[in-house]
Amino acid sequence: MPELRRDPVIGRWVIISTERSRRPGGLRTQNESQGSVPCPFCPGNESKTPPEILAYGPRGRSPNTPGWSTRVVPNKFPALQIEGDLHRGGEDLFDRMDGLGAHEVIVETDDHTKQLEDLNENQVTDVLFSWRDRIMDLKRDPRFEYILVFKNRGTAAGASLAHAHSQLIATPMVPIRVKQELRGSDEYYEKKGRCIFCEIMRAEIEKKERVVEVNDDFAVITPFASRFPFEMWIMPRRHSSSFETSTDAQFRALSRTLKSVLARLNNVLDNPPYNFIVHTGPLKANQLAHFHWHIELMPKIVHTAGFEWGAGFYINPTPPEQAALYLREVNNGPTA
Ligand SMILES: [Zn+2]
Ligand SMILES: [Zn+2]
Ligand SMILES: [Zn+2]
């Protein structure tokens, strides 16, 4: 069982993993598996993953057989484990908890050669629906406080398998990054009575210089204090603090926006490795007036080094205004 430990000074939780230290094929984390090892996410290899939790496909298909288009399975090497009670312990300064949580993998397509952005709009929408459906299901488990959906694309961004996939981790506490956003936006709301994310979006759309694209449902901006070159935030135009309560039409619009934004990124930076994360509200909060869900997208093109680790400061060599200009002007279709 992994263990969750709380840093006594700043309150950040760390997962001390026992299972992952035994993770086989250490080399595979260096090089994406390319043919030599059969890909566990390809159709026909369903038995190489733990039994599926959810799959979209034709009616009448038997579980764990080919024919699916989107498939969700437990991570074979989970950072946290689903079994167990929420057992809190620790002595004096040292707060610890059983490493309880859920760690799932969303296989985004049955086609090994396609990336998320190569899929058609309906297929990407299905990926978004699968995130929603899993959040809705895990939400009923009272042990969980938060679910983080994220994607690592490319070895440099932490992906150990090339086949297009995203992941989610449910945790028994709200992660510190999210807490900081909740606290900051709450303080702003207390003072001004408005959602700071709505305000940022309004100001950016008016100013235009950090806007990558904007449509009826979503705005994509390079944030004013971007930490990384070409960092982008995708924000719903309509205020909402929870990703999973979006309407089907909004998910379809998000699918189009995501495809377009990833195509822009690929065209400007030549298919870079990237990470994106969905920041939604805590599971036990209903609609919050001060928090606004969003996706943060970060290409992995600079290394985080000593100053960043030591200071929590980031050095960003590309002004977000310049990044927005490049991203705005480039083709948002498939790489030529
Ligand atoms: Zn594959
Ligand atoms: Zn808002
Ligand atoms: Zn965020």
Side-chain angles (χ1 to χ4, degrees):
M1 185 92 182
E3 191 173 282
L4 284 157
R5 295 188 185 176
R6 187 174 168 277
D7 180 299
V9 182
I10 66 170
R12 176 185 54 217
W13 287 89
V14 175
I15 300 172
I16 305 288
S17 163
T18 46
E19 305 304 308
R20 283 165 86 89
S21 64
R22 292 200 298 270
R23 186 173 179 159
L27 272 176
R28 220 176 55 205
T29 59
Q30 302 297 315
N31 304 299
E32 290 177 347
S33 64
Q34 276 151 352
S36 52
V37 187
C39 171
F41 297 161
C42 271
N45 296 342
E46 286 79 4
S47 64
K48 300 209 181 315
T49 65
E52 70 197 30
I53 300 168
L54 173 77
Y56 300 153
R59 212 167 294 156
R61 167 189 165 267
S62 330
N64 305 304
T65 61
W68 50 272
S69 50
T70 311
R71 184 167 184 257
V72 183
V73 296
N75 191 307
K76 200 166 181 179
F77 306 102
L80 292 169
Q81 283 178 8
I82 192 97
E83 304 89 12
D85 296 323
L86 196 51
H87 173 256
R88 256 188 123 108
E91 69 277 8
D92 305 330
L93 299 167
F94 305 113
D95 203 359
R96 71 174 93 214
M97 237 191 250
D98 285 346
L100 179 81
H103 189 172
E104 301 179 358
V105 178
I106 298 94
V107 185
E108 296 164 342
T109 167
D110 61 347
D111 187 340
H112 189 87
T113 65
K114 288 208 165 124
Q115 290 300 322
L116 177 64
E117 55 271 25
D118 304 327
L119 305 180
N120 68 37
E121 190 187 313
N122 287 338
Q123 289 172 304
V124 176
T125 308
D126 274 350
V127 172
L128 304 176
F129 284 161
S130 71
W131 297 350
R132 173 199 61 194
D133 292 350
R134 291 308 304 141
I135 293 174
M136 288 298 198
D137 185 41
L138 287 164
K139 216 175 178 171
R140 295 185 315 204
D141 190 325
R143 300 170 303 170
F144 300 144
E145 300 283 340
Y146 199 77
I147 296 173
L148 190 79
V149 175
F150 61 99
K151 180 173 170 77
N152 307 329
R153 201 273 294 272
T155 322
S160 51
L161 289 167
H163 197 124
H165 66 284
S166 36
Q167 304 182 57
L168 69 80
I169 293 188
T171 51
M173 74 280 294
V174 178
I176 197 163
R177 276 280 157 85
V178 181
K179 263 195 179 153
Q180 288 170 340
E181 289 187 1
L182 286 163
R183 200 175 306 139
S185 57
D186 191 36
E187 276 167 19
Y188 187 89
Y189 194 87
E190 285 300 307
K191 263 188 259 156
K192 311 266 174 127
R194 288 187 295 269
C195 162
I196 191 164
F197 296 93
C198 285
E199 297 271 276
I200 291 172
M201 201 161 26
R202 205 172 42 101
E204 294 291 9
I205 291 172
E206 202 177 288
K207 244 177 149 19
K208 295 192 181 75
E209 62 170 345
R210 283 181 295 268
V211 171
V212 177
E213 68 175 77
V214 61
N215 53 55
D216 288 346
D217 297 283
F218 289 91
V220 184
I221 61 158
T222 55
F224 173 67
S226 290
R227 293 158 293 178
F228 308 102
F230 298 90
E231 173 175 351
M232 285 183 264
W233 290 356
I234 304 172
M235 305 159 92
R237 299 283 301 276
R238 209 166 320 134
H239 180 85
S240 166
S241 64
S242 72
F243 165 85
E244 69 276 12
T245 57
S246 307
T247 63
D248 286 10
Q250 282 174 311
F251 283 122
R252 268 190 288 277
L254 178 58
S255 152
R256 286 191 295 275
T257 309
L258 205 50
K259 270 175 66 67
S260 158
V261 159
L262 291 172
R264 288 178 195 280
L265 197 64
N266 288 342
N267 287 328
V268 170
L269 296 174
D270 196 17
N271 301 304
Y274 64 74
N275 301 106
F276 69 64
I277 48 136
V278 180
H279 270 165
T280 184
L283 296 179
K284 287 172 185 161
N286 288 319
Q287 276 295 336
L288 297 169
H290 67 273
F291 189 73
H292 194 119
W293 78 264
H294 56 276
I295 295 178
E296 298 182 18
L297 169 61
M298 292 144 293
K300 191 87 180 177
I301 53 179
V302 290
H303 291 285
T304 307
F307 182 62
E308 283 90 343
W309 289 122
F313 258 96
Y314 292 88
I315 304 173
N316 178 356
T318 312
E321 295 75 24
Q322 216 172 73
L325 186 69
Y326 285 127
L327 289 162
R328 201 162 50 225
E329 292 190 342
V330 79
N331 184 352
N332 69 342
T335 320

